[in-house]
Amino acid sequence: QSVLTQPPSVSGAPGQRVTISCTGSSSNIGAGYDVQWYLQLPGTAPKLLIYGNNNRPSGVPDRFSGSKSGTSASLAITGLQADDEADYYCQTYDRGLIAWVFGEGTKLTVL
Amino acid sequence: EVQLVESGGHLVQPGGSLKLSCAASGFTFSGSAIHWVRQASGKGLEWVGRIRSKANNYAPAYGVSVTGRCTVSRDDLKNTAYLQLDSLRTEDTAVYYCTRHVEENSGYFDYWGQGLLVTVSS
């Protein structure tokens, strides 16, 4: 069981907006550590989507945005597209575990 | 173009050892920290270990599930990082990724290898 809690699944219709939550604790997100988000398509390596809570690497569309507040973070995807279907993981550092940690992952289904 | 390519491993017996390699290109390998992350089939991502750069004393770090069984190392002349895992268990069966770590605040993993399946089975 991960120290970062994500919903197992979310869904939305094309064009809609969805959000994925990532709940941590005072040992990780609440301690001020940045949150990252990764996208993983089946059979492929994770891809960095958001870093430093709300920064997009070059090439990531601005439909993807991140936010962080207290012990939680969120990923928002607007203008949902069919090829957004993937697993999404949040990630940060945990000072209690002295480890980099990932959320359990959220499967996004585009209806 | 940044590339990370894992090799080694495959099928290993319980109790055995494996040594994975991660060959890097397209960036200044010697100045980068390299982490290993694994993913069991149908499961999430699990951080395994890390080795920092020479400037940071090649400091290693290990996840709780591999501590005492794992050694990370690197050869900056070959632009290659290594993960050795001993006393293998069936629960070590997973796809293993190496990834470059950008060390800002908690840091982030910006480039990943394609992954390498390691199966621990008799």
Side-chain angles (χ1 to χ4, degrees), chain A residues 35-39 46-66 75, chain B residues 100 102 104 108-112:
Chain A
V35 176
Q36 279 65 237
W37 291 91
Y38 301 86
L39 170 159
K47 171 189 171 184
L48 180 65
L49 203 57
I50 297 288
Y51 68 95
N53 304 315
N54 55 15
N55 299 290
R56 287 184 307 276
S58 174
V60 173
D62 60 6
R63 300 188 297 106
F64 296 89
S65 63
L75 173 71
Chain B
R100 186 178 80 164
V102 177
E104 296 174 4
Y108 55 91
F109 306 112
D110 62 347
Y111 290 99
W112 296 67

Side-chain angles (χ1 to χ4, degrees), chain B residues 7-30:
Chain B
S7 61
H10 307 300
L11 178 61
V12 190
Q13 290 194 334
S17 297
L18 67 80
K19 187 171 186 177
L20 305 182
S21 300
C22 171
S25 60
F27 65 99
T28 305
F29 177 80
S30 61

Side-chain angles (χ1 to χ4, degrees), chain A residues 34 36 38 40 44-45 89 100, chain B residues 39 47 105-109 113:
Chain A
D34 285 345
Q36 279 65 237
Y38 301 86
Q40 187 179 34
T44 69
Y89 293 89
W100 286 263
Chain B
Q39 186 173 36
W47 177 73
N105 197 355
S106 61
Y108 55 91
F109 306 112

